[in-house]
Amino acid sequence: MRKKKAFYLVFAALLTAGSVLAGCSPQKADTNTTDSGNGNTKGTSSSFSYLMHDKFINWLHEDKWYPYVEEATGTTVEFVPGGSNDDEYYASVDQKIISRTFPDSGIVSVSQATVYGAQGAFVDLAPYIDEFGPNIKSYIEANPTYKTLITNDDGQIFGLVAEAPRFADFIFYRADHFEKAGITEVPQTIEELTDAMRKLKAHYGKDDKNYYPMVGREGYIRFQSAFNAAANYDDGVSRGVYGNGKTGTDLYSEGYKKMVEWYKTLYDEGLIDPEWVAGSGTEESWESKMLTGQGSLSYDYLTRPSWFMDNGGPENDPDYNIAILPYLKDLNGNPSVQTTETQYNTLRAMVVNKDSEDKAETIIKFLDYLYSDEGQTLVSWGVEGESYKEEGGQKQYIVDFSEQESTPAGEPRWSFLNDRLTFVKPIDNDAFYSWNTDLVRNAALELFTDESLKTGVQVTYTADQSKKLADLSAKVNEAVTSGVTQFVTGKRAMSEWDAFLGEMEAAGYKDIVALQQEAYDAMYK
């Protein structure tokens, strides 16, 4: 039996804003009294103001499907810009709440929803969902984890969080490079991938000392799944530092050490970009290397293969060709399983100002439309005959992804990038995969299966646990990254691996694992 219900930001400390007056005077939007297509009646407000990140507002202004939402619901939303980056935005949320200028509704951090909600600043949405949100209510009841995340011990719901799409990064490569280097078989194992990179190095590296087969951006440790070294909660036991629900770090798995040794081989043989390993490479330098032929292989976000084809492809180099590699087999010879993001985005929540409780019915009815079949079709596919067609019971887009997404900023476009958070709503994963180029769409529909993907385990923390976790993670994550890189670059001998594990324990690695277990047990046992 679950011991508690929690609704806390994983890596945020409890806010120390002190007591807040119950409610905040909202920035009022213009109202109207027209009939609503979503249950509003004459005399009932069918508008509300909504605080969001500046870029979220820009996205909605560009999305061609959005005006249809307002038309269908009979509701006008006044967007209130709150800042251009997270630090600026959440500081503005605090200021607006304390100064009693928070709009009717808005996006806040989950910790802000929890703390300020308990102090009376936000509306308990549970009774409004019961009365005015049948589609939201059905979704909550059908998804127990979601119900656990948003509901406190008293049955109150101070904020709603959005569902995230279910996908993993792609391993992609220059197919033309592989062909010219004499690689005729698609690699299926780490060993075969290493052999392919050696052939690439021999072919392209002989004339270019700055050529490295594997290039990338941000963290270079990407192949945990192939080494059975991803953090997990298998059998309900916390193994490794799980982080935000993605791959994480399981230093104590046998495969993790083997993975580090493999990366050291890549580094020693010049098969991986040393700037990437050192952390000195940039996104722009990575793009340049993949575009100009100084790299052949990357492991990154699912839309990136299309981006490289659009930006470096046949118009610049007639031979340029990007292909996507099936996920490698693991150390046991089985298909590796990719850990995805958690199902719900628990970094942000949508709340309703307590002083705007007269708008709660309108807001819930508006959101409820996005949970309906009609609303889901609109936000995921658009309008039949304009952006999609249906044949044999299957929807398919009739607008071109690359053409639409390359539309200049500020101009209306059909866009269905539903990993962007604007309004909380469910995700149609098939539509999310399909809204892309043929290259990515076909790979996603083939590779993103129940057998190949494992959704990240959703774990929530108390405010005290979150504070401890944030403090420990800041120290441990840096120590792990720095320590592993020393082994990879040869600055530290692999014979010191056990000593390194002891240092990570002293830094708090196992304390994080224990905190994860505590939170998991409280939520699921």
Side-chain angles (χ1 to χ4, degrees):
M1 180 179 180
R2 185 167 52 84
K3 298 178 182 177
K4 69 179 183 66
K5 296 176 181 177
F7 187 24
Y8 297 95
L9 178 62
V10 173
F11 293 121
L14 184 66
L15 297 177
T16 56
S19 60
V20 178
L21 294 176
C24 313
S25 299
Q27 296 180 355
K28 293 291 183 181
D30 292 335
T31 61
N32 61 60
T33 57
T34 59
D35 289 330
S36 166
N38 197 36
N40 291 328
T41 58
K42 289 183 178 180
T44 301
S45 170
S46 55
S47 67
F48 64 91
S49 54
Y50 184 31
L51 180 72
M52 288 199 296
H53 291 64
D54 298 3
K55 62 182 178 182
F56 297 0
I57 297 173
N58 294 335
W59 292 339
L60 280 171
H61 282 159
E62 294 169 351
D63 285 339
K64 282 189 174 181
W65 53 261
Y66 179 67
Y68 290 93
V69 174
E70 290 200 347
E71 181 181 350
T73 60
T75 304
T76 301
V77 182
E78 178 195 351
F79 301 116
V80 180
S84 58
N85 61 66
D86 278 358
D87 289 343
E88 177 185 341
Y89 181 85
Y90 294 120
S92 80
V93 168
D94 288 333
Q95 292 168 0
K96 290 179 186 300
I97 290 174
I98 293 170
S99 65
R100 304 174 65 85
T101 58
F102 192 81
D104 298 326
S105 62
I107 292 175
V108 302
S109 75
V110 176
S111 60
Q112 287 171 324
T114 303
V115 174
Y116 291 133
Q119 294 176 354
F122 301 136
V123 173
D124 173 16
L125 302 177
Y128 290 94
I129 292 171
D130 282 343
E131 187 170 357
F132 305 113
N135 296 300
I136 300 174
K137 184 175 181 179
S138 294
Y139 181 86
I140 292 172
E141 294 304 323
N143 294 274
T145 299
Y146 186 66
K147 187 174 185 177
T148 297
L149 287 170
I150 64 173
T151 310
N152 68 14
D153 287 330
D154 297 322
Q156 297 170 308
I157 298 174
F158 288 121
L160 296 171
V161 296
E163 185 174 359
R166 188 171 182 256
F167 68 96
D169 289 347
F170 279 141
I171 309 169
F172 54 95
Y173 62 100
R174 287 282 301 267
D176 55 315
H177 278 194
F178 274 50
E179 181 179 354
K180 291 175 183 178
I183 303 166
T184 57
E185 299 290 333
V186 174
Q188 298 185 43
T189 66
I190 284 291
E191 291 77 17
E192 292 175 1
L193 182 65
T194 308
D195 288 342
M197 286 193 283
R198 286 172 175 147
K199 290 180 180 178
L200 289 163
K201 184 71 175 181
H203 185 82
Y204 290 99
K206 67 179 184 294
D207 297 323
D208 186 351
K209 66 179 182 179
N210 293 316
Y211 170 81
Y212 299 95
M214 186 183 291
V215 295
R217 59 172 177 165
E218 299 174 349
Y220 66 93
I221 302 295
R222 297 291 179 96
F223 286 85
Q224 290 96 321
S225 60
F227 285 90
N228 305 117
N232 60 72
Y233 284 96
D234 285 351
D235 302 319
V237 178
S238 171
R239 293 184 176 90
V241 173
Y242 203 70
N244 64 352
K246 293 187 75 174
T247 306
T249 303
D250 187 4
L251 290 178
Y252 287 84
S253 66
E254 181 181 354
Y256 202 94
K257 183 180 179 182
K258 291 182 178 179
M259 181 178 65
V260 174
E261 291 171 332
W262 176 67
Y263 271 110
K264 185 179 187 306
T265 297
L266 301 188
Y267 188 88
D268 290 344
E269 296 185 19
L271 305 180
I272 188 171
D273 183 3
E275 288 185 352
W276 188 22
V277 174
S280 58
T282 65
E283 181 171 352
E284 290 74 19
S285 66
W286 163 58
E287 291 171 347
S288 176
K289 288 166 186 174
M290 279 296 287
L291 291 171
T292 61
Q294 289 190 316
S296 302
L297 180 76
S298 284
Y299 198 165
D300 209 276
Y301 192 74
L302 84 164
T303 60
R304 279 307 192 154
S306 293
W307 186 92
F308 281 108
M309 282 298 292
D310 289 341
N311 288 273
E315 289 187 6
N316 299 313
D317 179 352
D319 293 333
Y320 195 100
N321 187 25
I322 292 286
I324 295 170
L325 196 68
Y327 294 119
L328 302 176
K329 294 180 180 178
D330 66 15
L331 295 179
N332 300 320
N334 301 316
S336 59
V337 178
Q338 314 303 307
T339 303
T340 74
E341 295 277 6
T342 54
Q343 187 176 359
Y344 302 105
N345 183 340
T346 56
L347 297 180
R348 303 186 181 107
M350 182 179 179
V351 298
V352 176
N353 184 353
K354 182 66 175 178
D355 268 4
S356 298
E357 191 156 5
D358 61 327
K359 298 291 185 77
E361 177 183 340
T362 292
I363 294 169
I364 291 301
K365 286 181 175 180
F366 176 88
L367 292 179
D368 194 69
Y369 176 75
L370 302 179
Y371 282 73
S372 70
D373 291 342
E374 180 183 321
Q376 276 290 288
T377 295
L378 182 56
V379 301
S380 301
W381 296 96
V383 177
E384 188 169 10
E386 293 188 34
S387 59
Y388 80 94
K389 65 180 179 180
E390 187 165 349
E391 292 181 353
Q394 297 294 317
K395 296 182 179 67
Q396 55 182 291
Y397 295 109
I398 57 176
V399 288
D400 181 76
F401 168 84
S402 297
E403 180 182 308
Q404 293 295 317
E405 293 299 344
S406 63
T407 301
E411 291 188 14
R413 71 188 76 178
W414 288 111
S415 178
F416 304 98
L417 301 175
N418 280 312
D419 55 337
R420 294 171 166 180
L421 174 60
T422 49
F423 296 105
V424 293
K425 58 186 184 295
I427 290 289
D428 180 336
N429 281 296
D430 285 343
F432 180 78
Y433 305 153
S434 296
W435 180 243
N436 220 291
T437 62
D438 288 344
L439 170 66
V440 169
R441 176 172 60 251
N442 293 339
L445 293 173
E446 178 184 351
L447 298 180
F448 295 161
T449 66
D450 289 341
E451 292 74 29
S452 66
L453 298 185
K454 180 168 67 174
T455 303
V457 176
Q458 198 97 39
V459 177
T460 55
Y461 297 85
T462 66
D464 182 57
Q465 287 172 332
S466 293
K467 177 64 166 64
K468 291 178 182 176
L469 199 56
D471 292 343
L472 286 168
S473 296
K475 181 167 59 173
V476 170
N477 291 341
E478 182 179 350
V480 169
T481 300
S482 174
V484 167
T485 298
Q486 285 185 324
F487 288 113
V488 170
T489 57
K491 293 180 180 178
R492 189 169 186 179
M494 289 303 302
S495 58
E496 297 184 33
W497 183 256
D498 288 344
F500 167 69
L501 294 180
E503 293 162 12
M504 296 305 98
E505 287 183 31
Y509 180 92
K510 285 193 172 180
D511 294 330
I512 293 178
V513 175
L515 267 173
Q516 291 174 172
Q517 188 69 60
E518 257 183 58
Y520 180 93
D521 290 347
M523 188 168 181
Y524 295 106
K525 294 185 178 179

